[in-house]
């Protein structure tokens, strides 16, 4: 009997899905990657500040997921991911301090409130009792950070901050664990839900940052 794929045929591999629907798919990120020099000091401050608001607080997505996951298979991955994001939070904090304060693009600007609401949504997602949901969120965060980190390294160099090596689990290890844990359709659906929610929130953040950048140009 042929082996059944853990991902429905209509859905690509986990890595491909993160690439197609995460930060790498954002028009703003693509613009920056094509020409980093287009970023102003205010744009850089926005990126550092709002990523720090979303992911710079402890406990984060992976930390919450670890408290919700009893599966022994996932423990080593989770420990590595938690340690890695401890370093990433410190890195984000250094970038935020070096970039300086953000400036509102207009008096009625609600950007901080919007990202705080995103952070609350991620906290709820990563504390879900649905088996696999919190892990899916963690998988997506680790995979999508691979698209975000090169941009942060460019920002660090621009600001005179020395970027440290990324210490998160590899994309391959994440995908292998995903395959091992997605043996039941219920867990697979929960993992996929967690993945999609993280990627959606990240795309929303980049859309917000793009809108702030455009508003500054218009002003």
């Amino acid at each position: 009997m042929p082996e059944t794929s853990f991902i429905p045929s209509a859905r690509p591999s986990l890595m491909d899905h993160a690439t197609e629907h995460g930060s790498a798919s954002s028009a703003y990120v693509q613009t920056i990657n094509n020409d980093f020099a287009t970023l102003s000091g205010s744009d850089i401050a926005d990126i550092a500040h709002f990523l720090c608001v979303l992911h710079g607080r402890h406990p984060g997505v992976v930390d919450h997921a670890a408290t919700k996951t009893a599966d022994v298979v996932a423990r080593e991955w989770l420990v590595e991911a938690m340690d890695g994001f401890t370093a990433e939070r410190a890195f984000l904090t250094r970038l935020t301090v070096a970039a300086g304060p953000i400036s509102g693009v207009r008096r009625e600007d609600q950007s901080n409130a919007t990202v705080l609401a995103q952070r609350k949504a991620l906290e709820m997602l990563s504390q879900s009792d649905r088996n696999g949901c919190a892990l899916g969120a963690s998988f997506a965060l680790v995979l999508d950070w691979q698209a975000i980190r090169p941009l942060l390294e460019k920002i660090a160099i621009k600001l005179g901050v020395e970027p440290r090596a990324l210490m998160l689990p590899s994309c391959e290890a994440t995908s292998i664990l995903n395959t091992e844990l997605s043996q039941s359709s219920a867990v697979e659906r929960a993992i996929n839900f967690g993945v999609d929610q993280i990627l959606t929130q990240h795309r929303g953040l980049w859309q917000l940052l793009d809108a702030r950048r455009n508003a500054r140009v218009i002003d």
Side-chain angles (χ1 to χ4, degrees), residues 35-170:
D35 187 2
F36 181 77
T38 62
L39 286 184
S40 69
S42 294
D43 298 331
I44 287 174
D46 273 4
I47 293 170
H49 172 82
F50 287 111
L51 275 174
C52 196
V53 170
L54 193 61
H55 291 302
R57 182 179 179 179
H58 182 269
V61 169
V62 179
D63 306 290
H64 286 307
T67 67
K68 293 291 183 179
T69 305
D71 198 310
V72 176
V73 176
R75 294 311 302 174
E76 183 177 348
W77 185 94
L78 282 166
V79 169
E80 184 179 357
M82 284 191 292
D83 289 345
F85 269 109
T86 296
E88 291 305 292
R89 281 192 291 270
F91 183 40
L92 280 175
T93 299
R94 291 199 302 273
L95 292 184
T96 302
V97 172
I102 63 169
S103 57
V105 293
R106 54 179 64 88
R107 180 175 297 179
E108 66 274 16
D109 179 48
Q110 295 294 313
S111 299
N112 259 311
T114 299
V115 181
L116 285 170
Q118 284 188 301
R119 186 175 75 188
K120 182 65 176 177
L122 295 189
E123 288 175 351
M124 294 176 63
L125 176 71
S126 58
Q127 296 179 76
S128 171
D129 290 326
R130 184 181 175 189
N131 187 22
C133 185
L135 265 177
S138 298
F139 291 164
L141 178 56
V142 166
L143 291 175
D144 204 40
W145 206 255
Q146 304 292 334
I148 295 172
R149 190 41 145 77
L151 171 58
L152 296 182
E153 291 175 5
K154 290 180 181 179
I155 288 175
I157 293 170
K158 177 77 171 179
L159 297 174
V161 175
E162 183 177 356
R164 300 178 64 179
L166 183 64
M167 298 184 293
L168 294 176
S170 68

